[in-house]
């Protein structure tokens, strides 16, 4: 049995990269929710964002995370192919 180390390294690099990207996008979604809540409570925002912008940011970020998860499930489950 031989191991293709190049392919294994590529899979590892892509997995780590996608994981970091999803975590960053999810964190940006949490930031959008925090901006939305801060604007809704009337707190003064340091970045000048509005309630609608924060909600839109959160929605887009969470939608992107859900799309990545759905694509991963699609790749894993053979009945979806």
């Amino acid at each position: 049995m031989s191991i293709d180390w190049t392919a294994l390294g590529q899979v590892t690099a892509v997995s780590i990269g996608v994981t970091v990207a999803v975590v960053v996008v999810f964190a940006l979604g949490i930031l959008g929710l925090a901006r939305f809540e801060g604007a809704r409570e009337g707190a003064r925002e340091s970045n000048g964002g509005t309630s609608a912008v924060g909600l839109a940011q959160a929605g887009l970020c969470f939608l992107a995370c859900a799309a990545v998860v759905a694509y991963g499930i699609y790749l894993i489950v053979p009945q979806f192919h």
Side-chain angles (χ1 to χ4, degrees), residues 39-68:
R40 203 173 83 178
E41 292 175 2
R44 182 179 174 134
E45 297 183 27
S46 61
N47 292 335
T50 63
S51 174
V53 173
L55 190 59
Q57 175 185 346
L60 288 175
C61 289
F62 293 144
L63 184 64
C65 288
V68 170

Side-chain angles (χ1 to χ4, degrees), residues 18 22 61-81:
V18 169
V22 169
C61 289
F62 293 144
L63 184 64
C65 288
V68 170
V69 169
Y71 182 64
I73 291 172
Y74 168 78
L75 290 176
I76 292 171
V77 179
Q79 286 85 1
F80 293 153
H81 293 241

Side-chain angles (χ1 to χ4, degrees), residues 2 16 28 43 51:
S2 75
I16 290 171
L28 289 172
S51 174

